Amino acid sequence: MQENFDQIKAKIEKILDAELPEKPDEKWLLETFGLARSPAREGLDGLLLPTRDLVKQGGKRWRPVFMVLCAKMAAQSQDKVQAAYELSPLLEFVHTASLIHDDIEDRAQERRGSPCAYITRGLDTALNAGSWLYFKAASCIKKSSLPAAQKIVCHELYEMELRRLHLGQALDIAWHRAPELFPAVEDYKAMVQLKTGTLSSMAARLGFLAAGASEELVQKAGLVAAGIGMGFQILDDVQNLTSGNPGKKRGDDIVEGKKSLPVLLHVQKKPEDKQKLAALFQRAAEQGIQSPAVEEAIGLLESSGSIKEAYDFGNACAKDKALELTSLLRDNGSGAARMIFDLFAKIQR
């Protein structure tokens, strides 16, 4: 019997919950810290409360679901898919850690409909907890049922992708700190391939790796999946300027000075608007989300059709790369290839 999305997500949620427990037991303490007994509770709370809160507040979970579907698609026997499930924290915890740090760097106010961790828990606690979660994420590799040689590959992959993610973030920070700086569209795409595409790439590679696919297929899957992640990020940026992202306000990317694809397509068409857009970014940053500059900037982008153009590109990118990924292998009867299409169709809505 084929699993549906809800069944896959339920298994993933159970694994994530066990890795960030509400009440840590002796086994968890020993595995996580090498400690036989609990230290002062406030120490554990400083790590678990900010991270667990954000994980439990939701999220699409598309990255670990995508990884499991890749494993299902590539596996010759479905018993190998279990290892992909076991690696779920590697993707979801890295993503969560990056959100905690992103919110600090962007001076964001809300995440998933609630105040950001650095606001509710304090800047020092949020920084420490987010950093810890990057390391906690990798602990699932040791506990997984993968052969020892594959575990080494997983660690190498994880370390490389984390370095790439932070390089992408460094570019994003540099661009939004300078209102007058508008990078080239191709530079933006390269940044997104690093910042967002890296976890999509890691999901595909881990799924194919768990399934026992060849090194060549693992590498091909990762390269193609990075494009899916880029498509997702572009669609997410478009949503920010239209309906607004879940748990955030429409146009808060303007407040944060994000040089998203709609912005860059607009200045490519109308370079004379660079100074005006820079001034709108500056006003929005100073006045906050209620600033008239937010809607004025969005109206400017709409007037050139840049938001629609970015949506079309992101949509085509996600669909084309999903098709390319699923065409790497013959259908093994798992139904996973079709589910990958459906997964990204859901994300695009």
Side-chain angles (χ1 to χ4, degrees):
M1 180 176 144
Q2 293 180 358
E3 293 178 304
N4 59 35
F5 284 119
D6 288 340
Q7 290 169 325
I8 293 172
K9 281 188 68 175
K11 286 186 178 181
I12 290 169
E13 294 294 347
K14 187 175 180 180
I15 291 168
L16 299 180
D17 199 52
E19 289 298 310
L20 291 179
E22 187 173 4
K23 296 180 179 179
D25 58 19
E26 290 182 2
K27 181 183 177 183
W28 185 87
L29 285 167
L30 197 59
E31 289 176 344
T32 306
F33 300 107
L35 297 174
R37 65 182 186 85
S38 176
R41 180 68 206 201
E42 53 266 29
L44 290 177
D45 285 349
L47 298 176
L48 285 170
L49 292 181
T51 54
R52 183 179 168 84
D53 281 354
L54 190 50
V55 170
K56 299 300 284 184
Q57 282 166 9
K60 297 182 177 75
R61 304 285 190 261
W62 70 265
R63 295 166 185 84
V65 170
F66 178 42
M67 174 179 62
V68 169
L69 292 176
C70 284
K72 285 178 176 285
M73 185 175 70
Q76 296 303 310
S77 59
Q78 292 305 301
D79 61 316
K80 292 192 173 183
V81 176
Q82 178 56 33
Y85 276 109
E86 294 163 357
L87 295 174
S88 296
L90 197 59
L91 291 162
E92 201 61 33
F93 289 175
V94 165
H95 176 57
T96 301
S98 73
L99 295 182
I100 292 172
H101 286 175
D102 274 0
D103 288 339
I104 295 168
E105 292 160 357
D106 296 342
R107 299 181 182 86
Q109 298 300 302
E110 290 187 358
R111 172 68 66 178
R112 294 175 179 168
S114 299
C116 297
Y118 79 95
I119 294 174
T120 58
R121 304 291 179 185
L123 177 62
D124 47 1
T125 295
L127 277 171
N128 190 55
S131 298
W132 171 76
L133 196 57
Y134 280 125
F135 296 102
K136 173 58 180 165
S139 67
C140 67
I141 299 174
K142 181 181 179 180
K143 294 193 294 181
S144 77
S145 56
L146 288 171
Q150 287 186 330
K151 289 180 180 180
I152 293 172
V153 175
C154 280
H155 274 292
E156 291 173 347
L157 172 61
Y158 168 76
E159 291 165 9
M160 176 60 77
E161 298 296 2
L162 261 288
R163 291 194 292 269
R164 288 165 58 84
L165 184 152
H166 283 79
L167 174 58
Q169 180 69 352
L171 285 168
D172 197 22
I173 290 170
W175 293 343
H176 77 239
R177 286 181 66 179
E180 73 288 347
L181 177 58
F182 294 89
V185 168
E186 290 307 310
D187 288 338
Y188 164 84
K189 291 178 183 177
M191 180 275 290
V192 174
Q193 288 260 5
L194 291 167
K195 181 178 174 180
T196 306
T198 193
L199 288 186
S200 179
S201 173
M202 187 160 73
R205 291 187 193 205
L206 289 172
F208 274 59
L209 181 71
S214 68
E215 183 179 350
E216 182 183 4
L217 266 178
V218 170
Q219 296 301 323
K220 282 184 179 178
L223 290 172
V224 175
I228 295 176
M230 180 172 70
F232 170 79
Q233 183 62 62
I234 291 168
L235 292 170
D236 194 64
D237 290 343
V238 168
Q239 187 177 8
N240 183 276
L241 299 172
T242 51
S243 60
N245 304 114
K248 302 187 86 175
K249 292 183 172 64
R250 164 179 153 114
D252 66 352
D253 278 358
I254 302 295
V255 177
E256 294 168 12
K258 291 292 180 73
K259 306 300 170 47
S260 61
L261 187 58
V263 173
L264 300 180
L265 289 174
H266 181 89
V267 299
Q268 190 177 66
K269 294 176 182 180
K270 298 187 174 184
E272 68 274 14
D273 281 349
K274 282 185 178 182
Q275 190 172 354
K276 185 174 184 180
L277 272 171
L280 290 172
F281 278 131
Q282 189 66 45
R283 277 176 51 205
E286 293 169 356
Q287 298 172 359
I289 193 63
Q290 303 302 327
S291 172
V294 173
E295 290 302 322
E296 191 176 341
I298 293 174
L300 200 61
L301 302 179
E302 288 174 337
S303 70
S304 66
S306 298
I307 295 177
K308 174 66 164 56
E309 185 179 343
Y311 172 82
D312 290 342
F313 178 82
N315 191 40
C317 186
K319 284 183 177 179
D320 291 349
K321 291 300 180 180
L323 176 62
E324 188 177 347
L325 178 72
T326 54
S327 68
L328 291 176
L329 295 163
R330 292 181 180 178
D331 184 5
N332 62 2
S334 67
R338 179 70 258 172
M339 291 183 74
I340 287 173
F341 279 115
D342 292 344
L343 173 67
F344 290 106
K346 281 186 176 184
I347 287 173
Q348 292 160 29
R349 285 200 290 269

Coordinates of all heavy atoms in Angstrom, one line a residue, residues 33 49 83 113 130 172 189 252 257 270 286:
F33 N 24.6 14.7 24.6 CA 25.6 15.4 25.3 C 26.7 14.5 25.9 O 27.7 14.9 26.5 CB 25.0 16.2 26.4 CG 24.1 17.3 25.9 CD1 22.7 17.1 26.2 CD2 24.5 18.4 25.2 CE1 21.8 18.1 25.7 CE2 23.6 19.4 24.8 CZ 22.2 19.2 25.0
L49 N 13.7 25.0 24.2 CA 12.4 25.8 24.0 C 12.4 26.6 22.8 O 11.4 26.6 22.0 CB 12.2 26.7 25.3 CG 11.9 25.9 26.6 CD1 11.7 26.9 27.7 CD2 10.6 25.1 26.4
A83 N 15.8 4.5 6.2 CA 17.0 5.3 6.5 C 16.8 6.8 6.1 O 17.3 7.7 6.8 CB 18.2 4.8 5.7
G113 N 3.7 33.3 12.3 CA 2.5 33.9 13.0 C 2.8 34.2 14.5 O 1.9 34.7 15.2
G130 N 20.1 28.4 18.1 CA 20.2 28.1 16.6 C 21.5 27.5 16.2 O 21.5 26.5 15.4
D172 N 23.3 37.4 0.5 CA 22.0 38.0 0.7 C 22.1 39.2 1.7 O 21.5 40.2 1.5 CB 21.0 36.9 1.2 CG 19.6 37.3 1.1 OD1 19.2 38.2 0.3 OD2 18.7 36.8 1.9
K189 N 20.4 34.5 -8.9 CA 20.1 33.0 -9.1 C 21.2 32.2 -8.5 O 20.9 31.1 -7.8 CB 20.0 32.7 -10.6 CG 18.7 33.3 -11.2 CD 18.7 33.0 -12.7 CE 17.5 33.6 -13.4 NZ 17.5 33.4 -14.9
D252 N 7.0 42.3 3.8 CA 8.0 42.5 4.8 C 9.4 42.3 4.2 O 10.4 42.8 4.8 CB 7.8 41.7 6.0 CG 8.0 40.2 5.8 OD1 8.1 39.8 4.6 OD2 7.9 39.4 6.8
G257 N 14.7 44.9 3.0 CA 15.6 45.3 1.9 C 16.0 44.2 1.0 O 17.1 44.2 0.4
K270 N 13.8 48.7 -16.1 CA 13.8 50.2 -15.8 C 14.9 50.6 -14.9 O 14.7 50.9 -13.7 CB 12.4 50.6 -15.2 CG 11.2 50.3 -16.1 CD 9.9 50.9 -15.6 CE 8.8 50.7 -16.5 NZ 7.5 51.3 -16.0
E286 N 13.1 52.2 7.9 CA 13.0 53.1 9.0 C 11.7 53.1 9.7 O 11.5 53.3 10.9 CB 13.4 54.5 8.5 CG 14.8 54.7 8.1 CD 15.1 56.0 7.4 OE1 14.1 56.7 7.1 OE2 16.3 56.3 7.0

